[in-house]
Each structure stands twice: as structure tokens, then as C-alpha cells.
């Protein structure tokens, strides 16, 4: 087991009706609030009205219309401007991971005099950030319990994971009933994203019985509960268990003491979303089984055998490579069974920019240091195999 130094300062408030505590939690931080949200789902679900009702004595400035794969320009820039113009004290993010990620970049930019992209691109490290409170409405990213956010800059085809310890939310509210309205497409994509967060940590050199068991349980919970949520969107227990399994996703808690893996599928998927604006979880579902096939070897075999036997219950008396190949097929079949389009062409991506994307990933994502190092050619081959 490797040494680690771990701290998560985020207070999690979980369960039906939990946002009743919002005025107390927010009031303890500040009264001048930037309320950030997306394209309108919170208005359709009634959550917007509920939040406004709970906060009559707060001074609220709004930043609506934050799009999926949140954009640096306009959303981050507009949010930073509004914070500075209105001496905002706290950001309240209400929506999915895109809204919260954008809010994290705004929180850092609001206390920085230069171009916020200096921070996101790590040219300059943030010295402080505005506090963030969030109400998460989509079970997927785990942004509610980590200090990262993924920001897209379309003009340069950049989609960067921006992480900084100042960006942990102060308080995250997780009420599963607010995920009842999540579409089948987004429920499936959220499941694929969260499963991939676990697989990115599971496929590594050094692991432990404890963390393997935790991650295997997380994968099984996500697969069982995603199917239940697709069958009955209002299944509170299934939505609740799926939400918590997602929350742990990028926090590091699943793999404390393990060796780092380099998160190769995310490195590759960020290019797909940056160049083609596709749904992140779908991009991951498409490339993961192809990445698995690409890296299966004598060196990685034992991880695939453990994964296949413990997650899919494959017969352990079969040959190791047979178990591994079955496990990869089961992974592909599961994503297909929850309605995810399993080729790049189905999400509008063809071979025309594969070379350019592979080069972009090889130059920016550090996958030469992944558990199984990937070269530009490896990346291009995985994209091609995913067509
Ligand atoms: O924009 P609105 O109207 O809110 O609609 C959203 C959006 O269209 C809708 N939605 C959200 N909650 C809903 C709902 N519709 C009905 N009912 C609800 N309760 O769903 C659509 C997608 O929302 P989005 O926030 O984009 O989805 P998600 O939460 O999956 O976030 C995806 C973003 O997170 C990043 C991804 O790269 C992507 O940009 N990630 C963030 C991570 C992190 N911070 O740790 C890690 C992840 O690996 C991921 O990269
Ligand atoms: Zn992800």
C-alpha cells in the first residue's frame, strides 16, 4: 500500500428534503450569492422556485445557460465578471456536473486579477477561491465531492481537467428526488461516467483487497441500480444508491493507497468532447472496451481476471485469457444494454480528425505515464477501433 495524504473538506448533506438546510449552510458563508444553473431543467423541475423560496433574504445574482461541456467563453468569463461587479461572497451551483465545474472555475477566477485561463491551464496556481455550495441534480461526475472541473475552450479545441484544493465545494446537497427527471440518455451516460471513474482507478499496478472490494461493489451497484432507474425513474432507493456511488467517483476515496493509473480513458475522451461536443459518459463507454482490448497482455492479465470474476461472476475455472476477453465483452454488452451508442460514428465522429485528436491527446494528457503507457499511435489505434 502506497503512502497518501488525503483530505476532503466538503460537507455532504444527503437525502430527500435535505435542501431545507440550504439557508443555514449558505448563510454561514455569505449573503451575496451568484446562482449558477444550466439550460432550464431546474425551472422545469421546480427546483429553481424552491431555491428562491428558501433564500428570500439573500442578494442573488444569476448566471443561467451554462451548457454541457461547460465553455470558458462565455460562461466562465461571464461568471467571473458578475462576481467582481457584485462583490459576490459565495457561489450556489444548481444543476449537473457542467454547472458545478463551471462554478469552480468561476470561483477561482473571481479572486484573480489576470486571465482566468492562466489558472485553468496551470500557468498560475490559485491562491484562493470563492466558497462554493451546490445542489447536484444529475448522478454522474462526482464533482460534488472533488476539487476538479473540466472546462472547454472551443476556439483551441481544449478541454482541460482543472484541479485545485481551493475548489472543493464547502457543502454539497444530494437529494435523489431531484434526479428523478434525468433522461434515460443522461442516466445511462452518468452510469458509464461513474463506472469509468472506478475502472480508471481499478486498472493499476498496486491495489489492495480493501480498495478492490470497494471498487468492485461500486461497479456492481452502478450496473444494478442504473437498470432499475431506467426501468423506473422514480425508484428512490436505486437513484440514492447510484447517486452515492457516483459521488465517490473522482474523490480518490475508492483507491486510497493504490498506485496511480493516469486515467487514460478520460485523457482520450476529453479530446472527443472538445472536438465534437459529445456526451462525456457516452464517449467513455465507446472507448473503454477498445482500450481494454488494446492493453490486455501478460502484464495486465491478472487485473482483468479479478475484474471478470468479481464484477461479472465469470467462471474462475476458465483460462485467464478467456476470462479477460469475456470480461471485456461483458463491459461492452452492459453499456449497449443501457442504450449507449457504442461506436464513434453513431455519435457523429468519423476518421477525418483522428490523427489530429491523437496528437492533441499525446501532447497534452501525459498518457506516456499511464499504467500502460500510450503513444500517439496507440491512441489513434484505439480511436480507429472505436469507429
Ligand atoms: O442544462 P440543463 O437544463 O440543466 O440540463 C442538463 C443537461 O442538458 C440535464 N440535467 C441535469 N440535471 C437534470 C437534467 N435534466 C433533467 N433533470 C435533471 N435533474 O442533463 C444534461 C447534462 O448535464 P451535465 O451537467 O452536462 O451532465 P454531467 O453531470 O454528466 O456533467 C458532465 C460534465 O462533467 C465533466 C464532463 O467532462 C462534462 O463536461 N466531468 C467532471 C468531472 C469532475 N468535476 O470531477 C469528472 C468527470 O470525469 C467529467 O469529466
Ligand atoms: Zn468522467
Amino acid at each position: 500500500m502506497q503512502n497518501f495524504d488525503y483530505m476532503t473538506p466538503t460537507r455532504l448533506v444527503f437525502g430527500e428534503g435535505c435542501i431545507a438546510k440550504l439557508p443555514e449552510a449558505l448563510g454561514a458563508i455569505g449573503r451575496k450569492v451568484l446562482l449558477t444553473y444550466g439550460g432550464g431543467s431546474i425551472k422545469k423541475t421546480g427546483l429553481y422556485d424552491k431555491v428562491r423560496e428558501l433564500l428570500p433574504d439573500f442578494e442573488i445574482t444569476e448566471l443561467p445557460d451554462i451548457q454541457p461541456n461547460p465553455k470558458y467563453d462565455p460562461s466562465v468569463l461571464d461568471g467571473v465578471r458578475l462576481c467582481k461587479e457584485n462583490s459576490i461572497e459565495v457561489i450556489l451551483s444548481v444543476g449537473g456536473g457542467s454547472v458545478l465545474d463551471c462554478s469552480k472555475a468561476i470561483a477561482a477566477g473571481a479572486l484573480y486579477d489576470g486571465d482566468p485561463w492562466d489558472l485553468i491551464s496551470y500557468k498560475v496556481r490559485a491562491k484562493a477561491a470563492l466558497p462554493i455550495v451546490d445542489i447536484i441534480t444529475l448522478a454522474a461526475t462526482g464533482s460534488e465531492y472533488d476539487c476538479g472541473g473540466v472546462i472547454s475552450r472551443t476556439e483551441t479545441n481544449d478541454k482541460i481537467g482543472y484541479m485545485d484544493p481551493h475548489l472543493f465545494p464547502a457543502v454539497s446537497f444530494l437529494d435523489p428526488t431531484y434526479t428523478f427527471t434525468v433522461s434515460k440518455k443522461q442516466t445511462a451516460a452518468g452510469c458509464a461516467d461513474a463506472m469509468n471513474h472506478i475502472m480508471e482507478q481499478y486498472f493499476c499496478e498496486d491495489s489492495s483487497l480493501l480498495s478492490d472490494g470497494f471498487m468492485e461493489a461500486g461497479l456492481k451497484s452502478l450496473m444494478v441500480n442504473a437498470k432499475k432507474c431506467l426501468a423506473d425513474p422514480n425508484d428512490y432507493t436505486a437513484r440514492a444508491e447510484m447517486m452515492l456511488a457516483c459521488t465517490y467517483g473522482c474523490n480518490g476515496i475508492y483507491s486510497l493507497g493504490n498506485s496511480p493509473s493516469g486515467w487514460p480513458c478520460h485523457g482520450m475522451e476529453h479530446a472527443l468532447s472538445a472536438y465534437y461536443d459529445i456526451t462525456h459518459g457516452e464517449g467513455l463507454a465507446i472507448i473503454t472496451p477498445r482500450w481494454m482490448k488494446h492493453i490486455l497482455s501478460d502484464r495486465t492479465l491478472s487485473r482483468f481476471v479479478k475484474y471478470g470474476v468479481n464484477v461479472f461472476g465469470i467462471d474462475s475455472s476458465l483460462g485467464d485469457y478467456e476470462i479477460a476477453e469475456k470480461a471485456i465483452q461483458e463491459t461492452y454488452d452492459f453499456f449497449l444494454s443501457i442504450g449507449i451508442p457504442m461506436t464513434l460514428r453513431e455519435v457523429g465522429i468519423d476518421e477525418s480528425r483522428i490523427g489530429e485528436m491523437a496528437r492533441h491527446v499525446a501532447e497534452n494528457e501525459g498518457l506516456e505515464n499511464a499504467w500502460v503507457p500510450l503513444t500517439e499511435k496507440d491512441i489513434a489505434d484505439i480511436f480507429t477501433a472505436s469507429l
Side-chain angles (χ1 to χ4, degrees):
M1 186 172 278
Q2 315 238 329
N3 288 7
F4 61 83
D5 180 346
Y6 170 82
M7 198 269 285
T8 298
T10 304
R11 173 185 166 196
L12 290 182
V13 185
F14 190 99
E16 184 165 5
C18 68
I19 70 166
K21 292 183 179 175
L22 179 64
E24 159 254 314
L26 210 55
I29 301 172
R31 295 258 150 206
K32 293 173 180 248
V33 180
L34 177 72
L35 171 62
T36 56
Y37 57 94
S41 70
I42 67 164
K43 292 199 169 171
K44 275 186 232 113
T45 62
L47 179 55
Y48 173 85
D49 292 340
K50 180 91 187 114
V51 166
R52 294 305 305 241
E53 230 172 79
L54 283 168
L55 305 175
D57 338 325
F58 288 76
E59 206 183 301
I60 296 181
T61 304
E62 295 197 3
L63 176 68
D65 291 329
I66 295 173
Q67 294 304 308
N69 297 321
K71 307 301 181 274
Y72 174 67
D73 185 359
S75 301
V76 174
L77 292 176
D78 287 351
V80 167
R81 179 178 46 77
L82 288 170
C83 286
K84 292 182 174 175
E85 285 170 358
N86 298 282
S87 323
I88 294 297
E89 295 164 337
V90 55
I91 299 176
L92 174 59
S93 166
V94 184
S98 289
V99 176
L100 182 47
D101 284 7
C102 186
S103 304
K104 289 179 180 177
I106 292 166
L111 301 188
Y112 174 63
D113 293 339
D115 177 350
W117 195 256
D118 297 345
L119 301 168
I120 297 167
S121 58
Y122 297 110
K123 214 168 110 202
V124 171
R125 292 302 297 196
K127 291 196 180 53
L130 284 178
I132 303 160
V133 172
D134 65 271
I135 301 171
I136 207 80
T137 63
L138 201 163
T141 65
S143 188
E144 63 275 17
Y145 205 39
D146 71 39
C147 63
V150 188
I151 303 297
S152 293
R153 192 171 201 177
T154 14
E155 58 275 25
T156 52
N157 284 317
D158 277 309
K159 182 173 165 89
I160 294 188
Y162 172 42
M163 290 187 81
D164 186 293
H166 295 100
L167 302 182
F168 278 106
V171 190
S172 289
F173 289 89
L174 297 98
D175 179 338
T177 62
Y178 290 125
T179 67
F180 285 177
T181 50
V182 175
S183 66
K184 288 190 184 298
K185 172 188 168 77
Q186 289 295 343
T187 299
C191 171
D193 190 17
M195 281 180 68
N196 189 270
H197 294 155
I198 297 175
M199 291 191 261
E200 298 271 36
Q201 300 170 77
Y202 188 87
F203 290 98
C204 67
E205 199 62 29
D206 299 330
S207 185
S208 65
L209 205 54
L210 177 64
S211 108
D212 281 354
F214 190 10
M215 292 192 275
E216 289 154 4
L219 287 167
K220 286 186 278 194
S221 166
L222 285 162
M223 289 195 281
V224 166
N225 287 298
K227 292 238 170 156
K228 287 183 180 173
C229 294
L230 290 170
D232 171 9
N234 298 345
D235 181 332
Y236 180 84
T237 309
R239 287 288 191 188
E241 189 165 336
M242 189 171 164
M243 197 167 201
L244 191 53
C246 290
T247 294
Y248 294 142
C250 297
N251 166 278
I253 197 163
Y254 272 127
S255 55
L256 289 180
N258 287 6
S259 54
S261 72
W263 287 57
C265 292
H266 272 70
M268 289 186 277
E269 198 292 321
H270 283 171
L272 301 178
S273 290
Y275 279 71
Y276 292 91
D277 210 13
I278 63 166
T279 299
H280 173 64
E282 291 179 350
L284 289 169
I286 293 168
I287 57 175
T288 298
R290 278 82 179 202
W291 166 76
M292 288 176 160
K293 258 206 186 104
H294 189 85
I295 68 153
L296 179 57
S297 69
D298 292 348
R299 178 182 162 225
T300 62
L301 184 58
S302 62
R303 290 309 284 167
F304 282 100
V305 171
K306 189 161 197 199
Y307 168 70
V309 171
N310 291 355
V311 174
F312 292 107
I314 294 170
D315 177 357
S316 57
S317 67
L318 295 175
D320 283 358
Y321 272 98
E322 197 181 347
I323 294 170
E325 277 145 21
K326 271 180 176 299
I328 296 170
Q329 188 60 48
E330 293 259 12
T331 306
Y332 176 94
D333 292 347
F334 172 75
F335 288 142
L336 197 64
S337 74
I338 58 173
I340 294 188
M342 286 303 286
T343 64
L344 291 181
R345 287 190 202 285
E346 287 169 81
V347 293
I349 299 176
D350 64 15
E351 54 282 316
S352 58
R353 304 183 77 181
I354 282 186
E356 190 188 342
M357 288 193 293
R359 194 166 324 109
H360 186 87
V361 173
E363 285 167 4
N364 292 289
E365 294 289 344
L367 299 192
E368 64 281 4
N369 306 314
W371 174 50
V372 175
L374 296 178
T375 63
E376 185 177 322
K377 180 170 176 337
D378 290 316
I379 296 161
D381 289 349
I382 292 165
F383 282 155
T384 306
S386 305
L387 279 171

